[in-house]
Amino acid sequence: MADNDKNIRFVARHYCKGLFSADAAWRRLGIAPSMSIWRRYRVAAVLAGAIALSAAAAIIYHQYDVRAEIESETLTLSPMETVKVVDFENAPLPVVVERIREVYGVEVDGLPENADDYVLSLHYEGTPVDLVDTINDLLSTEMTVK
C-alpha cells in the first residue's frame, strides 16, 4: 500500500490541468494516435455507405410494397360464397328462412308445408348453402338455395 500512496502523491503533485495530451503521450511512446485522419475518413465512408444502402432499401420496399398490391386487388364473392354469422334462438323455420334471405341475399326453396312446426336454435358461421344443408340434416327437410 505504501507504493500506491507514493504513486498517488506523485500524480497529485505533478498534475496540471490542460498540460497532458493523450496524442502526445502516444507519440512519445512510439504509438500512433488512436484516431488518425485516414481512419476518420474510413469511418465517414462506412457511415455514408450505410446511409446510402438504407435509402436504397427504403425505396425498394416502397416500390414493391406487398400490402399495396393486396389492397388494390379486390375480391368479389357471390352470395353463395359469402361467409357470415347467423344466430337463431327457438326460431320457427319460416323466420329462419327469412333471416337467411336478409343476411345472405339468397332465395331458399323447398320450405315444408308444416314449416311453423319446426323450431331451430343455432349459431352458424359459413355460406348459405352450407347453412341450409345443415338445417336439412338437423330437421330432415329438403330445402335448396337459389
Side-chain angles (χ1 to χ4, degrees), residues 26-45:
W26 286 114
R27 275 189 228 105
R28 284 181 73 193
L29 293 172
I31 302 171
S34 63
M35 194 67 143
S36 69
I37 190 73
W38 293 111
R39 185 168 181 196
R40 289 181 184 145
Y41 285 131
R42 284 186 297 213
V43 169

Side-chain angles (χ1 to χ4, degrees), residues 29-143:
L29 293 172
I31 302 171
S34 63
M35 194 67 143
S36 69
I37 190 73
W38 293 111
R39 185 168 181 196
R40 289 181 184 145
Y41 285 131
R42 284 186 297 213
V43 169
V46 168
L47 289 174
I51 291 170
L53 284 175
S54 298
I59 291 169
I60 290 170
Y61 175 77
H62 288 294
Q63 185 176 3
Y64 296 105
D65 191 2
V66 175
R67 288 175 292 150
E69 291 175 14
I70 291 172
E71 290 171 3
S72 67
E73 182 179 316
T74 57
L75 181 63
T76 55
L77 298 174
S78 71
M80 299 290 197
E81 299 171 324
T82 304
V83 174
K84 295 187 179 180
V85 176
V86 183
D87 288 308
F88 305 108
E89 188 66 39
N90 291 327
L93 190 55
V95 173
V96 170
V97 169
E98 184 58 35
R99 183 75 177 134
I100 292 171
R101 287 181 186 143
E102 290 173 6
V103 171
Y104 291 102
V106 296
E107 292 296 321
V108 178
D109 286 338
L111 196 63
E113 290 183 20
N114 58 347
D116 289 329
D117 295 342
Y118 293 97
V119 178
L120 186 66
S121 292
L122 180 68
H123 170 82
Y124 189 81
E125 180 177 351
T127 64
V129 174
D130 292 338
L131 174 57
V132 170
D133 288 343
T134 301
I135 293 171
N136 287 337
D137 290 342
L138 292 172
L139 303 178
S140 299
T141 58
E142 296 181 8
M143 297 184 296

Side-chain angles (χ1 to χ4, degrees), residues 1-10:
M1 280 239 301
D3 289 335
N4 285 340
D5 289 340
K6 287 180 185 177
N7 291 337
I8 292 171
R9 275 187 253 146
F10 176 82

